[in-house]
């Protein structure tokens, strides 16, 4: 039997850029680094206010690459400033969203990864994850371990739904 192919949108916000990739399981099929004009970035009082602007760029990236959001099985965002957890991939929950929206988290662009992934997931009914990158950088080859884990989580979630 042929293995199910999961399409995963990966979001890695930085201080002046947003790195985006779409994977089919472990294989990266498209990627782009969006550079944000510093003058535009400086108009925002805190980093979390950039969420909607960056989300628009993500939808534009998908559209430009003829990738329908309905074909995405999961969204993975770079972790952010949340309460300490072991490095890894986690499904986003309300406690994490609260942490990502707190005043300290709003000082670091990585907090946008989980916030944007969560919003996109909720808007389109797809699972959203964060990758806590204590030791991993999502733009490095090791990011595949976290993408692979997201695929594993999706498979596990699908099996649970079938059992119900």
């Amino acid at each position: 039997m042929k293995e199910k192919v999961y399409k995963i949108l990966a979001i890695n916000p930085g201080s002046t850029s947003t790195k985006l990739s779409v994977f089919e399981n472990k294989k990266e099929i498209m990627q782009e680094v969006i550079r944000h004009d510093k003058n535009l970035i400086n108009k925002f009082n805190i980093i979390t206010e950039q969420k909607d602007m960056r989300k628009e760029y993500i939808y534009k990236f998908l559209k430009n690459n003829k990738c329908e959001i309905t074909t995405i099985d999961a969204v993975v965002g770079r972790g952010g400033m949340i309460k300490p957890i072991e490095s890894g991939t986690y499904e986003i929950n309300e406690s994490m969203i609260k942490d990502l929206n707190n005043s300290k988290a709003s000082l670091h662009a990585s907090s946008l990864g989980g916030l944007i992934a969560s919003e996109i997931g909720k808007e389109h009914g797809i699972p959203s994850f964060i990758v806590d990158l204590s030791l991993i950088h999502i733009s490095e080859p090791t990011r595949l371990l976290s993408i692979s884990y997201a695929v594993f989580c999706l498979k596990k979630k699908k099996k649970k739904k079938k059992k119900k």
Side-chain angles (χ1 to χ4, degrees):
M1 179 183 267
K2 191 174 179 182
E3 182 182 19
K4 165 103 171 92
V5 175
Y6 292 97
K7 195 177 276 188
I8 300 166
L9 170 63
I11 304 165
N12 179 6
S15 59
T16 60
S17 68
T18 304
K19 296 174 184 78
L20 302 169
S21 294
V22 174
F23 290 83
E24 286 182 345
N25 291 348
K26 296 180 193 179
K27 183 181 177 190
E28 186 176 48
I29 60 168
M30 63 187 78
Q31 65 91 20
E32 185 175 343
V33 177
I34 299 167
R35 305 268 178 223
H36 304 294
D37 183 90
K38 287 181 184 177
N39 293 323
L40 177 61
I41 294 291
N42 290 334
K43 289 181 182 180
F44 296 97
N45 294 319
I46 56 174
I47 288 175
T48 52
E49 290 177 355
Q50 299 172 21
K51 180 175 46 105
D52 292 335
M53 177 214 45
R54 291 190 190 225
K55 198 164 76 168
E56 285 180 37
Y57 283 110
I58 293 166
Y59 284 125
K60 187 176 178 182
F61 160 76
L62 293 172
K63 183 179 179 181
N64 289 345
N65 285 282
K66 296 175 179 46
C67 181
E68 296 290 326
I69 190 71
T70 56
T71 66
I72 300 292
D73 295 297
V75 186
V76 178
R78 177 180 174 194
M81 301 192 62
I82 58 175
K83 290 187 175 85
I85 57 174
E86 191 174 324
S87 182
T89 303
Y90 297 89
E91 191 160 9
I92 298 172
N93 61 44
E94 289 307 313
S95 177
M96 290 174 183
I97 296 299
K98 185 177 176 182
D99 288 348
L100 294 169
N101 275 312
N102 82 32
S103 60
K104 289 180 184 173
S106 65
L107 299 175
H108 199 278
S110 65
S111 295
L112 291 167
L115 293 172
I116 295 169
S118 177
E119 275 194 15
I120 291 173
K122 285 177 182 173
E123 289 169 4
H124 300 283
I126 53 179
S128 56
F129 300 89
I130 63 161
V131 179
D132 180 51
L133 302 172
S134 304
L135 303 171
I136 304 168
H137 193 281
I138 204 164
S139 63
E140 297 297 325
T142 52
R143 74 179 183 265
L144 291 177
L145 298 173
S146 297
I147 298 299
S148 297
Y149 189 71
V151 169
F152 168 78
C153 291
L154 283 170
K155 288 178 182 177
K156 192 172 176 180
K157 194 172 195 141
K158 299 267 187 209
K159 285 181 184 175
K160 283 183 183 178
K161 283 184 180 177
K162 285 181 183 177
K163 289 181 182 178
K164 289 182 180 178

